Amino acid sequence: QVQLVESGGGLVQAGGSLRLSCVASGSIFNFNVMGWYRQAPGNQRELVARIFSGGSTNYADSVKGRFTLSRNDAKNTVYLQMNSVKPEDTAVYYCNARRAVNGYWGQGTQVTVSS
């Protein structure tokens, strides 16, 4: 079974930076898509960013220009670099991986942005 372990969440001041990491138990080379989602209490889980096996990326309009998604295949790790964070970025952030019809989720890591 694929396991995704996230780290890097915490408390950060508005305008600051934070980097989230997601380490997979096995090779991520064959995943079609990997990405980050977030969910605040009472809200739906929403896509933040995703990266495809070919290297192309998609970003939600709300984070475009501020967040950067990257992948290190040798370390089986994906990263979400969060810059110029805003209070509305406060949420639990989840790592996601998909291969064909199978999808996997990390445990989630809390990000809190103070104003």
Side-chain angles (χ1 to χ4, degrees), residues 1-4 23-29 31 73 75-77 99:
Q1 178 67 268
V2 173
Q3 301 289 330
L4 304 175
V23 181
S25 58
S27 176
I28 63 173
F29 182 78
F31 283 118
D73 291 344
K75 300 177 67 174
N76 297 324
T77 303
R99 179 188 297 140

Side-chain angles (χ1 to χ4, degrees), residues 56-110:
S56 62
T57 54
N58 288 155
Y59 295 91
D61 288 341
S62 60
V63 308
K64 195 172 298 181
R66 300 187 297 117
F67 292 5
T68 302
L69 180 64
S70 62
R71 182 181 66 202
N72 188 324
D73 291 344
K75 300 177 67 174
N76 297 324
T77 303
V78 293
Y79 306 94
L80 184 67
Q81 179 66 46
M82 306 168 62
N83 296 328
S84 303
V85 295
K86 305 174 180 179
E88 52 263 43
D89 294 322
T90 296
V92 177
Y93 284 70
Y94 297 91
C95 182
N96 173 262
R98 179 162 58 84
R99 179 188 297 140
V101 300
N102 301 120
Y104 309 92
W105 291 97
Q107 79 284 358
T109 185
Q110 177 72 46

Side-chain angles (χ1 to χ4, degrees), residues 8-32:
L11 176 65
V12 62
Q13 183 74 33
S17 297
L18 204 64
R19 188 177 76 161
L20 307 183
S21 299
C22 173
V23 181
S25 58
S27 176
I28 63 173
F29 182 78
N30 288 325
F31 283 118
N32 302 114

